[in-house]
Amino acid sequence: MEKFSEIVYKRPDMAALKKAMKQQLELLKKAKTYEEARAAYLASQEITAHAETSYVVASVRNTLDTTDKFYDGEMQFFNRALAMLMPISKAFIDAMLKTPFRAEFEAEFGKQLFTLAEMAQKSQSKKIIPELIAQGTTENNYKKTAAACKTTFRGEECNFYGLLKHMESPDREERKEAYLAWAKLYEDASEQLDKQFDKLIKLRVRMAKKLGLPGGYTELAYLDRHRADYGPKEVEQFRAQVKAVIVPAVAKLREEQAKRLGVEKLKYYDETCIFPDGNADPVGGEAELVAVAQRMYREISPETGEFFDFLCEYGLFDLATRPGKHLGGYCTYLADYKAPFIFSNFNGTAADVNVLTHEAGHAFAGYTAMRSQPLMDYMSSTSEVNEIHSMTMEHFAYPYTKDFFGEANVAKAKYAHLSGALSTIPYLVSVDEFQHRVYAKPEMTAKERRAIWHEIEQIYMPWRDYDGVPFLEEGGFWMQKQHIFLYPFYYVDYALAQVCAFEFYGRMKKDHSDAWKSYLALCRAGGSKGYFELLQLAGLSNPFVEGSVEKAVRHVIEELNV
Ligand SMILES: [Zn+2]
């Protein structure tokens, strides 16, 4: 392949694509033998992969330079064009579900193919195309609103990312001021954000209604997230385990943190400051950290070494912060090239190292699955599995903490990571419960939604003290979470995955090579099996089963000494 920057982008010819898909659809329907049906199915996968690769190239380039009008226009094109593909993709799914060769397909590719098709059959319909297009437009408007949020900090205009470093400052006054500016930033935008969220809720609820789903949008979101093995009830049981096991441990961590910082009562602006003399920063910028990562991946295993060298050779990451670049970080995949791509905005904090472990963990899993799995649909799994890949890689990187942060910072960096991973879980499940409650009562006003958020916060984060800031006391904190706007119901996947990653971490302590073997097997399996089956394949506990959260995290709580 060529380097990412040299890939020539061409807008897919949608008419030709539809025609080609229709041709394969006819061949699939008319197939007299499994070989014929199989060939039509695989050809359709290939057609989809080409179109998706073009989409990903345009989307990555759009985020690399949001001022580039060309790719901005391409994204608008795709928003509509992809929604218009729904009827043909739906017809394909119907044909697959009716194929007389199901047993042969299952024998070769497993049952997952049909599990996915059955879910798609319930969640896809051309009836909802107008809402899908409107949802895409509203989401884009939200992104623009969020990106335009600005505030002044100590006389300087800055956005959310500009505030981050100050929000972690060891100087209490500085971080308090930074957090106030941060709260003001969201308060100022709240009217607009509330309106956009209202609109999204209405559209989503309407889609579920049109599809005739009795569970409302929550059911549709579970289908869209390919949750075939569990429903809201199981997720509720998981949250209850978090409340029983993790919340008390984090409450103790917060008490210790207050003592360490020498403050009488920990305020919300203290939570991100782990140590009185400041958090550990990495040893250098992009060049230094990438060099450390390259050495690390070469040492971890031959597979990871080959993977990271591939990323470097083909320019498959863009890590520096530049004006005009989209905020945040992500990992995506170019199916045609069997290549992942990592996007980030380095800022000189521990988050930079996290990109090279977490996002690279996703990238490694994708790179591996793309070389092990025969189907486009199996290249990646659901996010509660994909996040196990990334979060577990963060733990596999522990022996290299000294290289990323310097010898003197090892204890601090490791404590910050491990305690941070545990302390985030109560927040993750808060966001999850919030969304369940919002979509259960979609007619709620913005004010009522805030009250609900505040109520949930007190259950899972009883230590949270907003220091009398009215906007936050009323429940305005939820607004900062872009997943609630853009990736509904995603958030609990991080919590489920972190619990599994902790279990992996426990296994690393006992038998490193056995843990690695299971991890590699999980990455190779991609999305070829269902969630529970993948957990089994990796020898992981099912986090919904009572007692499994306790079992997975006890050693972490002990290591953190609380
Ligand atoms: Zn991730």
Side-chain angles (χ1 to χ4, degrees):
M1 73 175 276
E2 56 272 46
K3 277 181 184 273
F4 177 78
S5 57
E6 288 157 11
I7 292 175
V8 179
Y9 168 78
K10 211 171 136 246
R11 180 190 279 195
D13 177 344
M14 297 314 277
L17 193 142
K18 262 187 231 169
K19 204 173 145 206
M21 285 293 280
K22 269 193 186 134
Q23 244 165 13
Q24 297 307 326
L25 177 65
E26 287 317 308
L27 290 171
L28 176 66
K29 283 181 178 167
K30 277 192 253 154
K32 292 272 179 291
T33 62
Y34 172 57
E35 280 62 41
E36 286 171 17
R38 181 185 187 273
Y41 174 67
L42 290 180
S44 81
Q45 289 265 304
E46 198 152 311
I47 296 167
T48 319
H50 289 325
E52 200 187 286
T53 304
S54 303
Y55 166 72
V56 173
V57 170
S59 146
V60 169
R61 290 189 180 155
N62 176 239
T63 54
L64 289 177
D65 181 4
T66 53
T67 63
D68 185 326
K69 291 269 180 295
F70 174 75
Y71 286 110
D72 199 46
E74 290 309 286
M75 292 322 285
Q76 284 169 27
F77 159 76
F78 276 113
N79 178 32
R80 180 167 280 275
L82 293 179
M84 300 310 280
L85 278 183
M86 163 122 39
I88 181 75
S89 105
K90 179 84 199 291
F92 226 96
I93 286 159
D94 289 341
M96 276 303 278
L97 288 171
K98 281 185 199 137
T99 179
F101 305 108
R102 182 165 176 157
E104 288 89 338
F105 271 112
E106 286 188 347
E108 184 173 358
F109 300 109
K111 287 185 187 319
Q112 183 64 6
L113 171 61
F114 292 97
T115 308
L116 291 171
E118 274 155 13
M119 283 188 287
Q121 202 186 30
K122 286 190 215 163
S123 66
Q124 294 187 10
S125 161
K126 60 178 180 222
K127 284 187 279 190
I128 63 168
I129 291 177
E131 284 81 10
L132 282 176
I133 294 174
Q135 174 179 249
T137 310
T138 314
E139 287 173 354
N140 274 333
N141 291 340
Y142 158 77
K143 283 185 206 162
K144 282 183 189 141
T145 307
C149 279
K150 282 195 176 66
T151 187
T152 33
F153 177 73
R154 300 196 166 172
E156 246 177 78
E157 192 179 75
C158 56
N159 66 6
F160 166 69
Y161 278 81
L163 285 172
L164 271 185
K165 190 106 188 156
H166 303 290
M167 287 162 86
E168 281 189 15
S169 168
D171 173 358
R172 200 177 196 205
E173 270 315 304
E174 182 179 341
R175 63 177 186 266
K176 181 179 172 178
E177 243 178 85
Y179 266 97
L180 277 172
W182 172 87
K184 177 94 173 49
L185 180 150
Y186 284 100
E187 191 178 0
D188 288 348
S190 62
E191 212 186 301
Q192 213 176 348
L193 294 174
D194 277 329
K195 269 191 203 145
Q196 285 164 346
F197 193 43
D198 270 329
K199 206 167 173 187
L200 287 169
I201 293 170
K202 279 204 186 84
L203 287 166
R204 289 168 182 166
V205 169
R206 202 187 305 152
M207 283 191 267
K209 204 168 171 189
K210 280 189 173 179
L211 292 165
L213 298 171
Y217 179 67
T218 306
E219 186 177 351
L220 177 54
Y222 274 56
L223 289 169
D224 282 342
R225 307 205 57 69
H226 297 164
R227 293 178 180 173
D229 291 354
Y230 63 94
K233 197 87 224 133
E234 285 80 6
V235 176
E236 196 183 326
Q237 285 159 2
F238 173 72
R239 291 197 304 263
Q241 290 188 69
V242 168
K243 190 176 163 233
V245 178
I246 298 179
V247 170
V250 178
K252 278 193 212 151
L253 282 174
R254 295 294 181 212
E255 272 169 38
E256 278 191 2
Q257 189 179 2
K259 271 188 225 145
R260 211 167 40 237
L261 297 179
V263 298
E264 204 177 313
K265 175 92 180 49
L266 199 75
K267 303 285 184 185
Y268 75 109
Y269 51 79
D270 295 321
E271 288 184 20
T272 42
C273 182
I274 319 280
F275 303 101
D277 55 344
N279 300 341
D281 284 333
V283 288
E286 180 176 338
E288 289 85 356
L289 297 183
V290 168
V292 172
Q294 187 160 36
R295 190 159 46 77
M296 172 179 84
Y297 285 116
R298 283 174 178 171
E299 278 177 28
I300 289 180
S301 75
E303 290 85 358
T304 43
E306 181 204 297
F307 144 77
F308 202 80
D309 289 350
F310 180 84
L311 288 192
C312 295
E313 189 175 343
Y314 296 106
L316 293 166
F317 46 77
D318 193 299
L319 307 175
T321 304
R322 287 187 306 273
K325 196 170 160 179
H326 199 278
L327 303 177
Y330 64 79
C331 171
T332 187
Y333 310 96
L334 300 143
D336 279 357
Y337 301 95
K338 294 186 194 296
F341 188 93
I342 298 175
F343 174 98
S344 174
N345 282 276
F346 269 21
N347 65 1
T349 72
D352 297 355
V353 174
N354 217 56
V355 170
L356 293 168
T357 56
H358 181 102
E359 297 304 339
H362 284 305
F364 173 66
Y367 177 89
T368 308
M370 284 188 271
R371 282 160 180 74
S372 316
Q373 292 301 326
L375 301 180
M376 168 87 185
D377 287 343
Y378 289 176
M379 298 303 167
S380 69
S381 185
T382 47
S383 44
E384 68 285 63
V385 175
N386 297 333
E387 298 299 341
I388 301 177
H389 304 144
S390 54
M391 287 169 158
T392 306
M393 192 63 98
E394 296 175 39
H395 295 296
F396 276 119
Y398 275 179
Y400 300 87
T401 309
K402 61 176 185 323
D403 307 292
F404 283 119
F405 292 94
E407 195 73 60
N409 275 324
V410 170
K412 271 172 96 175
K414 217 185 136 189
Y415 179 86
H417 183 274
L418 194 61
S419 67
L422 188 73
S423 318
T424 316
I425 295 177
Y427 172 62
L428 299 172
V429 300
S430 303
V431 170
D432 180 61
E433 184 164 329
F434 177 67
Q435 295 178 90
H436 280 90
R437 292 185 59 182
V438 163
Y439 289 104
K441 219 178 143 195
E443 67 282 5
M444 270 196 286
T445 63
K447 208 172 162 218
E448 285 170 318
R449 284 197 296 262
R450 279 182 217 177
I452 296 276
W453 172 259
H454 190 55
E455 189 190 316
I456 295 170
E457 242 175 4
Q458 285 172 324
I459 299 172
Y460 296 103
M461 299 183 281
W463 52 83
R464 181 58 62 87
D465 179 346
Y466 286 120
D467 202 27
V469 177
F471 175 67
L472 299 175
E473 298 276 4
E474 281 166 21
F477 190 84
W478 77 263
M479 293 216 139
Q480 57 120 9
K481 194 72 272 163
Q482 66 158 348
H483 289 69
I484 297 175
F485 295 86
L486 301 179
Y487 315 108
F489 291 90
Y490 192 126
Y491 236 44
V492 77
D493 294 343
Y494 288 120
L496 292 166
Q498 184 61 68
V499 166
C500 292
F502 279 150
E503 195 176 358
F504 255 133
Y505 175 46
R507 287 167 59 187
M508 281 172 216
K509 290 192 219 171
K510 287 190 189 127
D511 184 345
H512 194 275
S513 86
D514 171 70
W516 178 259
K517 246 190 262 163
S518 290
Y519 175 78
L520 189 59
L522 184 69
C523 291
R524 284 198 175 124
S528 61
K529 292 176 168 47
Y531 177 44
F532 290 172
E533 260 187 289
L534 287 170
L535 290 175
Q536 217 166 17
L537 175 137
L540 293 166
S541 314
N542 179 331
F544 299 120
V545 174
E546 182 64 39
S548 55
V549 172
E550 162 74 28
K551 192 182 134 206
V553 308
R554 183 50 55 195
H555 74 98
V556 173
I557 294 173
E558 276 163 13
E559 188 178 332
L560 290 167
N561 230 342
V562 284

